[in-house]
Amino acid sequence: MTIKQLFVAGAGLMGAGIAQTAISCGYEVSLREVDEALVNRGAENIKKRLENLVQKGKLEAGQRDAVVARLHPTTSLEAAGRADFVIEAITENFEAKRDLFKRLDGICRPDVILASNTSSIPITRMAAVTKRPERFIGMHFFNPVPVMPLIELTRGRDTADETVNATLELSRSLGKTPITSLDYPGFIVNRMLVPFVNEAINALMQGLGSREDIDQGAKLGLHHPMGPLELADFVGLDTHLYICNVLYEGLHDPKFAPPALLQQLVDAGHFGRKSGRGFYRYRQDGSRQPD
Ligand code: CAA
């Protein structure tokens, strides 16, 4: 099957990042949100980021116009009927994804692969709500999508080899390096990331070092671009807590248990960068603010 038209469901941070990457690689993309305001916000964010690339001299203005012309913002789910491949990037909630996939299953051509960008919901569970579990796959992108080179592919219980191969090919054509995982909680990357971030939070809770020293330790000692506390703020402390619980409940291993300090920050509404406060404080534009 030749893939030319993508349908991306969800125009938030991840969906818009996926759409930006795909239009930049020559795909026609329908970017769908539930209302005009949300879809317009997603499309505007993409245009702003492309404009930044023009300002930095990394993209010519003419090329930018051609890239933007491949973006088709929409509120219609029926637009998925024209798609060759679907990527879902809506909110991380099983019921919402289940309802969406049931509808998409009825709209999309039978040969079309349905992929989910979930970081934590079992692929097999979502595939089972469709009549095409062999054409269902996890396609987990990393934030910020246009910059991060990885896509983590997860095969569900019944995912066919042809589905994996087509998605590997699509991932490479998006300029990314794919890895493949079985469908167990957290897949590969969060299985490694969660204990690492949790250990940093526990260390902070015990007073082992300041938040700055813990982050510098990972940045300068391990060459990570962000320290674990900074990264948790970037991912969202509520999201990190949710993923911890998925791993903890799914694998029954205390090393994934959410630290008390993480739960406390989330209870206080300190979700990290998106709420202006987490381990650090942030301005509206996302830059760090001194306490
Ligand atoms: N969207 C698009 N591009 C972005 C961006 C965004 N939101 N944020 C930064 N960039 C681009 C910048 O434009 C810049 O591009 P150029 O090199 O072409 O100029 C480049 O990224 C570097 O940005 P900056 O110079 O502003 O800042 P930086 O060097 O500090 O890098 C960073 C920022 C790329 C975010 C870097 O800190 C980083 O890689 N951090 C780690 C990110 C990470 O680990 N992400 C995975 C999180 S886990 C996840 O997503 C999955 C999950 O399930 C939880």
mmCIF file of all heavy atoms in Angstrom, residues 6 15 22 27 45 90 93 100 103 113 147 155-157 180 195-196 217 232 245 284 286 290:
data_model
loop_
_atom_site.group_PDB
_atom_site.id
_atom_site.type_symbol
_atom_site.label_atom_id
_atom_site.label_comp_id
_atom_site.label_asym_id
_atom_site.label_seq_id
_atom_site.Cartn_x
_atom_site.Cartn_y
_atom_site.Cartn_z
ATOM 1 N N LEU A 6 -2.150 11.165 5.431
ATOM 2 C CA LEU A 6 -2.253 10.757 6.834
ATOM 3 C C LEU A 6 -3.436 11.467 7.482
ATOM 4 O O LEU A 6 -3.761 12.605 7.113
ATOM 5 C CB LEU A 6 -0.991 11.134 7.616
ATOM 6 C CG LEU A 6 0.345 10.553 7.178
ATOM 7 C CD1 LEU A 6 1.426 10.931 8.197
ATOM 8 C CD2 LEU A 6 0.285 9.058 7.036
ATOM 9 N N GLY A 15 0.008 15.752 18.687
ATOM 10 C CA GLY A 15 -0.626 15.653 17.368
ATOM 11 C C GLY A 15 -0.093 16.720 16.416
ATOM 12 O O GLY A 15 0.215 16.428 15.248
ATOM 13 N N ALA A 22 5.170 15.307 9.559
ATOM 14 C CA ALA A 22 4.693 14.611 8.356
ATOM 15 C C ALA A 22 4.579 15.550 7.154
ATOM 16 O O ALA A 22 5.009 15.199 6.049
ATOM 17 C CB ALA A 22 3.355 13.935 8.651
ATOM 18 N N TYR A 27 4.112 14.470 3.255
ATOM 19 C CA TYR A 27 2.773 13.862 3.361
ATOM 20 C C TYR A 27 1.679 14.930 3.393
ATOM 21 O O TYR A 27 1.895 16.018 3.923
ATOM 22 C CB TYR A 27 2.671 13.009 4.640
ATOM 23 C CG TYR A 27 3.509 11.763 4.566
ATOM 24 C CD1 TYR A 27 4.795 11.726 5.119
ATOM 25 C CD2 TYR A 27 3.035 10.636 3.912
ATOM 26 C CE1 TYR A 27 5.577 10.583 5.026
ATOM 27 C CE2 TYR A 27 3.811 9.487 3.810
ATOM 28 C CZ TYR A 27 5.080 9.465 4.371
ATOM 29 O OH TYR A 27 5.845 8.345 4.269
ATOM 30 N N ASN A 45 0.119 26.843 15.862
ATOM 31 C CA ASN A 45 1.386 26.434 16.486
ATOM 32 C C ASN A 45 2.354 25.867 15.448
ATOM 33 O O ASN A 45 3.546 26.159 15.474
ATOM 34 C CB ASN A 45 1.144 25.400 17.587
ATOM 35 C CG ASN A 45 0.569 26.054 18.832
ATOM 36 O OD1 ASN A 45 0.703 27.271 19.022
ATOM 37 N ND2 ASN A 45 -0.084 25.272 19.674
ATOM 38 N N ILE A 90 -4.820 11.738 20.767
ATOM 39 C CA ILE A 90 -5.739 12.498 21.629
ATOM 40 C C ILE A 90 -5.342 12.280 23.086
ATOM 41 O O ILE A 90 -4.318 11.649 23.373
ATOM 42 C CB ILE A 90 -7.227 12.125 21.376
ATOM 43 C CG1 ILE A 90 -7.526 10.694 21.816
ATOM 44 C CG2 ILE A 90 -7.597 12.345 19.912
ATOM 45 C CD1 ILE A 90 -9.014 10.380 21.936
ATOM 46 N N ASN A 93 -6.543 8.694 27.591
ATOM 47 C CA ASN A 93 -7.683 8.187 28.345
ATOM 48 C C ASN A 93 -8.301 7.040 27.537
ATOM 49 O O ASN A 93 -8.647 7.225 26.369
ATOM 50 C CB ASN A 93 -8.693 9.350 28.514
ATOM 51 C CG ASN A 93 -10.006 8.899 29.100
ATOM 52 O OD1 ASN A 93 -10.788 8.205 28.478
ATOM 53 N ND2 ASN A 93 -10.240 9.311 30.328
ATOM 54 N N LEU A 100 -13.133 6.718 19.948
ATOM 55 C CA LEU A 100 -12.594 7.239 18.693
ATOM 56 C C LEU A 100 -12.245 6.099 17.728
ATOM 57 O O LEU A 100 -12.605 6.139 16.547
ATOM 58 C CB LEU A 100 -11.347 8.100 18.976
ATOM 59 C CG LEU A 100 -10.675 8.669 17.739
ATOM 60 C CD1 LEU A 100 -11.549 9.758 17.108
ATOM 61 C CD2 LEU A 100 -9.306 9.253 18.082
ATOM 62 N N ARG A 103 -15.185 4.472 16.041
ATOM 63 C CA ARG A 103 -15.726 5.280 14.939
ATOM 64 C C ARG A 103 -14.786 5.239 13.735
ATOM 65 O O ARG A 103 -15.223 5.088 12.591
ATOM 66 C CB ARG A 103 -15.948 6.730 15.403
ATOM 67 C CG ARG A 103 -17.098 6.846 16.402
ATOM 68 C CD ARG A 103 -17.257 8.267 16.891
ATOM 69 N NE ARG A 103 -17.709 9.165 15.838
ATOM 70 C CZ ARG A 103 -17.682 10.498 15.927
ATOM 71 N NH1 ARG A 103 -17.210 11.078 17.021
ATOM 72 N NH2 ARG A 103 -18.112 11.248 14.940
ATOM 73 N N ILE A 113 -4.112 1.166 8.282
ATOM 74 C CA ILE A 113 -3.571 0.854 9.615
ATOM 75 C C ILE A 113 -3.987 1.957 10.585
ATOM 76 O O ILE A 113 -3.907 3.147 10.263
ATOM 77 C CB ILE A 113 -2.029 0.749 9.539
ATOM 78 C CG1 ILE A 113 -1.628 -0.477 8.709
ATOM 79 C CG2 ILE A 113 -1.408 0.685 10.945
ATOM 80 C CD1 ILE A 113 -0.147 -0.557 8.380
ATOM 81 N N VAL A 147 11.852 17.327 16.840
ATOM 82 C CA VAL A 147 13.277 17.253 17.213
ATOM 83 C C VAL A 147 13.695 15.835 17.621
ATOM 84 O O VAL A 147 14.806 15.393 17.316
ATOM 85 C CB VAL A 147 13.554 18.211 18.407
ATOM 86 C CG1 VAL A 147 14.998 18.141 18.855
ATOM 87 C CG2 VAL A 147 13.164 19.639 18.053
ATOM 88 N N ARG A 155 3.818 -3.751 19.082
ATOM 89 C CA ARG A 155 2.883 -4.676 18.437
ATOM 90 C C ARG A 155 1.940 -5.248 19.475
ATOM 91 O O ARG A 155 2.370 -5.697 20.534
ATOM 92 C CB ARG A 155 3.582 -5.758 17.638
ATOM 93 C CG ARG A 155 4.798 -6.400 18.199
ATOM 94 C CD ARG A 155 5.445 -7.390 17.264
ATOM 95 N NE ARG A 155 4.501 -8.086 16.419
ATOM 96 C CZ ARG A 155 4.792 -8.544 15.210
ATOM 97 N NH1 ARG A 155 5.981 -8.373 14.711
ATOM 98 N NH2 ARG A 155 3.884 -9.191 14.509
ATOM 99 N N GLY A 156 0.661 -5.180 19.161
ATOM 100 C CA GLY A 156 -0.339 -5.790 20.025
ATOM 101 C C GLY A 156 -0.314 -7.289 19.817
ATOM 102 O O GLY A 156 0.406 -7.808 18.952
ATOM 103 N N ARG A 157 -1.126 -7.980 20.588
ATOM 104 C CA ARG A 157 -1.199 -9.450 20.537
ATOM 105 C C ARG A 157 -1.401 -9.954 19.106
ATOM 106 O O ARG A 157 -0.832 -10.956 18.700
ATOM 107 C CB ARG A 157 -2.368 -9.873 21.423
ATOM 108 C CG ARG A 157 -2.521 -11.302 21.659
ATOM 109 C CD ARG A 157 -1.729 -11.734 22.878
ATOM 110 N NE ARG A 157 -1.285 -13.084 22.705
ATOM 111 C CZ ARG A 157 -0.254 -13.609 23.351
ATOM 112 N NH1 ARG A 157 0.447 -12.901 24.213
ATOM 113 N NH2 ARG A 157 0.095 -14.846 23.140
ATOM 114 N N THR A 180 11.167 -1.461 18.140
ATOM 115 C CA THR A 180 9.906 -2.194 18.345
ATOM 116 C C THR A 180 9.882 -2.840 19.713
ATOM 117 O O THR A 180 10.893 -3.348 20.202
ATOM 118 C CB THR A 180 9.679 -3.279 17.271
ATOM 119 O OG1 THR A 180 10.862 -4.038 17.160
ATOM 120 C CG2 THR A 180 9.310 -2.702 15.945
ATOM 121 N N PRO A 195 11.671 4.574 36.468
ATOM 122 C CA PRO A 195 12.486 4.372 37.690
ATOM 123 C C PRO A 195 13.578 5.429 37.846
ATOM 124 O O PRO A 195 13.904 5.836 38.959
ATOM 125 C CB PRO A 195 13.113 2.992 37.498
ATOM 126 C CG PRO A 195 12.365 2.348 36.402
ATOM 127 C CD PRO A 195 11.743 3.421 35.571
ATOM 128 N N PHE A 196 14.112 5.898 36.714
ATOM 129 C CA PHE A 196 15.176 6.915 36.764
ATOM 130 C C PHE A 196 14.639 8.223 37.346
ATOM 131 O O PHE A 196 15.211 8.795 38.288
ATOM 132 C CB PHE A 196 15.727 7.115 35.341
ATOM 133 C CG PHE A 196 16.728 8.231 35.210
ATOM 134 C CD1 PHE A 196 17.942 8.175 35.881
ATOM 135 C CD2 PHE A 196 16.455 9.336 34.421
ATOM 136 C CE1 PHE A 196 18.855 9.206 35.769
ATOM 137 C CE2 PHE A 196 17.363 10.374 34.300
ATOM 138 C CZ PHE A 196 18.572 10.305 34.984
ATOM 139 N N GLY A 217 23.696 16.716 37.912
ATOM 140 C CA GLY A 217 24.340 15.391 37.964
ATOM 141 C C GLY A 217 24.049 14.605 36.698
ATOM 142 O O GLY A 217 24.949 14.002 36.094
ATOM 143 N N ALA A 232 10.771 15.803 34.101
ATOM 144 C CA ALA A 232 9.445 15.474 34.639
ATOM 145 C C ALA A 232 8.520 16.685 34.512
ATOM 146 O O ALA A 232 7.356 16.548 34.114
ATOM 147 C CB ALA A 232 9.567 15.032 36.093
ATOM 148 N N ASN A 245 1.749 4.841 37.647
ATOM 149 C CA ASN A 245 0.683 3.964 38.140
ATOM 150 C C ASN A 245 0.399 2.827 37.165
ATOM 151 O O ASN A 245 0.140 1.705 37.587
ATOM 152 C CB ASN A 245 -0.578 4.774 38.444
ATOM 153 C CG ASN A 245 -0.440 5.515 39.772
ATOM 154 O OD1 ASN A 245 0.136 4.985 40.721
ATOM 155 N ND2 ASN A 245 -0.938 6.732 39.843
ATOM 156 N N GLN A 284 4.932 32.141 31.274
ATOM 157 C CA GLN A 284 3.929 31.738 30.276
ATOM 158 C C GLN A 284 4.567 31.100 29.032
ATOM 159 O O GLN A 284 4.028 30.164 28.455
ATOM 160 C CB GLN A 284 3.154 32.985 29.844
ATOM 161 C CG GLN A 284 1.817 32.676 29.208
ATOM 162 C CD GLN A 284 0.687 32.883 30.192
ATOM 163 O OE1 GLN A 284 0.562 33.956 30.747
ATOM 164 N NE2 GLN A 284 -0.118 31.856 30.412
ATOM 165 N N GLY A 286 7.124 29.312 28.875
ATOM 166 C CA GLY A 286 7.788 28.036 29.169
ATOM 167 C C GLY A 286 9.203 28.196 29.702
ATOM 168 O O GLY A 286 9.825 27.214 30.118
ATOM 169 N N PRO A 290 13.164 32.261 38.238
ATOM 170 C CA PRO A 290 13.727 32.002 39.566
ATOM 171 C C PRO A 290 12.621 32.012 40.625
ATOM 172 O O PRO A 290 11.635 32.744 40.471
ATOM 173 C CB PRO A 290 14.695 33.168 39.783
ATOM 174 C CG PRO A 290 14.631 34.018 38.572
ATOM 175 C CD PRO A 290 13.586 33.516 37.646
#
